[in-house]
């Protein structure tokens, strides 16, 4: 996790985009504890906004979110990121 944070700073990556990608990875590999730990490095109030943006994207594309997206939401609720979800 520390190395990932260093890379974000070194390459001046957009934090919201990195958070979006981290959520994608957690969605696909929810058993990875280290990946979940990276969420603690971000402002927790941003997570519901990113999840909402993803949900809005599914809505606009006329596709239903995959089951893994709902599992991601359940995982986030279980981790205590319930504000805004």
């Amino acid at each position: 996790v520390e190395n990932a944070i260093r890379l974000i700073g070194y390459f001046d990556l957009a934090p919201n985009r990195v958070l979006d990608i981290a959520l994608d990875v957690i969605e696909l590999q929810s058993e990875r504890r280290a990946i979940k730990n990276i969420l603690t490095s971000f402002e927790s109030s941003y997570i519901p906004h990113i999840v909402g943006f993803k949900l809005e994207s599914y809505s606009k594309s006329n596709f239903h979110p995959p089951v893994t997206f709902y599992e991601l939401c359940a995982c986030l609720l279980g981790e205590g990121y319930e504000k805004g979800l």
Side-chain angles (χ1 to χ4, degrees), residues 27-63:
E27 179 179 346
L28 298 175
Q29 298 181 351
S30 60
E31 69 279 354
R32 294 281 182 119
R33 187 74 203 157
I35 295 169
K36 289 180 190 175
N37 288 340
I38 200 167
L39 294 181
T40 61
S41 302
F42 294 95
E43 182 69 40
S44 62
S45 63
Y46 295 154
I47 294 173
H49 296 287
I50 300 294
V51 172
F53 180 76
K54 289 175 172 290
L55 189 59
E56 184 179 13
S57 295
Y58 283 120
S59 174
K60 287 181 179 179
S61 68
N62 294 323
F63 289 109

Side-chain angles (χ1 to χ4, degrees), residues 69-84:
F69 179 77
Y70 294 112
E71 291 171 351
L72 169 67
C73 292
C75 175
L76 292 171
L77 288 170
E79 294 288 323
Y81 296 103
E82 65 273 348
K83 290 184 178 180

